[in-house]
Amino acid sequence: MRILLVEDDHRVTAAMISMLERRGYQVEHAATVAAALAAAPCDLVLLDLNLPDGDGMEVCRALRERNEHLGIIAVTARGEERDRVVGLRSGADDYVVKPFSMVELQARIEALLRRTARTGPPAREIVEFGPLRIDYSARTVEVDGEPVTLTRKEFDILASLARQPGVVVPRERILLDVWRTTWSGKHTLEVHVGSLRAKLGRPQMVQAVRGVGYCLRAG
């Protein structure tokens, strides 16, 4: 999960990057309108509206035109009602006024990611990767043509990994996909992954990357 942080205040930037990276997000930082518009594609944007080379509203409108499914949260000192209205009409999905708590911002990020996951482009119905075949619509799994019976959570974990096979998916992203939160019991995800590996019969297919998350391999 990649987040573009558009912010020119160094102290705010450092605090937000620290919080986001602890939650497992990859963060790209841009401090100007030009840098924000030149940034690589991302999953969500945290956008300050007061930038040194222009108005953040320009960035908001441009990014919305490029991608109607992109999540955008305006994070700004502009707290007047008219500013909120203009920000939302310019394409922002949510609006957070400084100063704010990191806990509140994290909750808003989670809520927006849930909404964009529901309204974004539909996932492929069937994924085939190595010996693995996943049918998202039927919620069935096969390994080497043999059916594998999974619980709902085990299937959702596998489905989350299979959307980006071969790519390390952060632990927090999996928790958000499966439990709709980035917080869970200490070993909740690990226990379910262990059961999933056993049922697949190929433990090496779901590889742990210490301190980051999990990756689906061809096995």
Side-chain angles (χ1 to χ4, degrees):
M1 177 60 58
R2 296 186 67 256
I3 291 180
L4 172 62
L5 172 60
V6 185
E7 172 63 64
D8 66 329
D9 186 301
H10 299 301
R11 289 183 298 175
V12 173
T13 296
M16 292 178 69
I17 289 178
S18 177
M19 181 273 289
L20 293 168
E21 290 184 340
R22 285 199 306 272
R23 299 289 187 270
Y25 300 112
Q26 292 180 321
V27 183
E28 180 176 354
H29 174 237
T32 63
V33 169
L37 295 178
C42 61
D43 300 292
L44 185 143
V45 179
L46 299 176
L47 176 63
D48 182 18
L49 300 182
N50 297 317
L51 298 171
D53 61 335
D55 193 334
M57 296 293 187
E58 300 173 24
V59 178
C60 191
R61 294 188 188 98
L63 294 179
R64 179 57 67 219
E65 288 177 2
R66 294 179 189 176
N67 184 353
E68 63 178 316
H69 299 294
L70 177 65
I72 302 175
I73 301 178
V75 183
T76 178
R78 299 184 191 177
E80 297 294 328
E81 180 182 25
R82 64 175 179 274
D83 292 319
R84 295 172 185 264
V85 171
V86 172
L88 294 170
R89 286 179 174 171
S90 296
D93 298 286
D94 201 352
Y95 200 101
V96 179
V97 178
K98 298 177 182 176
F100 55 87
S101 77
M102 291 299 180
V103 174
E104 177 190 2
L105 179 61
Q106 173 63 20
R108 289 178 180 272
I109 290 172
E110 291 178 6
L112 180 53
L113 289 174
R114 287 195 297 270
R115 294 200 300 273
T116 55
R118 289 195 295 268
T119 60
R124 293 173 294 174
E125 291 189 354
I126 296 177
V127 170
E128 294 184 353
F129 184 62
L132 184 67
R133 185 179 189 274
I134 304 173
D135 187 325
Y136 282 94
S137 299
R139 293 182 68 84
T140 59
V141 175
E142 296 178 5
V143 175
D144 287 327
E146 295 296 323
V148 178
T149 302
L150 301 178
T151 66
R152 183 169 64 88
K153 295 298 186 187
E154 290 163 356
F155 180 89
D156 289 344
I157 291 169
L158 183 60
S160 180
L161 297 174
R163 291 190 182 98
Q164 295 179 288
V167 175
V168 179
V169 181
R171 184 178 189 277
E172 285 74 14
R173 175 70 256 179
I174 301 171
L175 291 172
L176 189 60
D177 286 344
V178 178
W179 281 275
R180 303 305 181 193
T181 180
T182 58
W183 301 93
S184 72
K186 184 176 181 182
H187 300 298
T188 300
L189 177 58
E190 289 75 7
V191 169
H192 282 82
V193 168
S195 178
L196 172 61
R197 285 169 168 160
K199 290 182 178 181
L200 292 176
R202 298 191 180 196
Q204 71 277 11
M205 289 186 68
V206 181
Q207 293 187 355
V209 179
R210 184 167 181 161
V212 182
Y214 293 91
C215 178
L216 184 65
R217 300 294 185 187

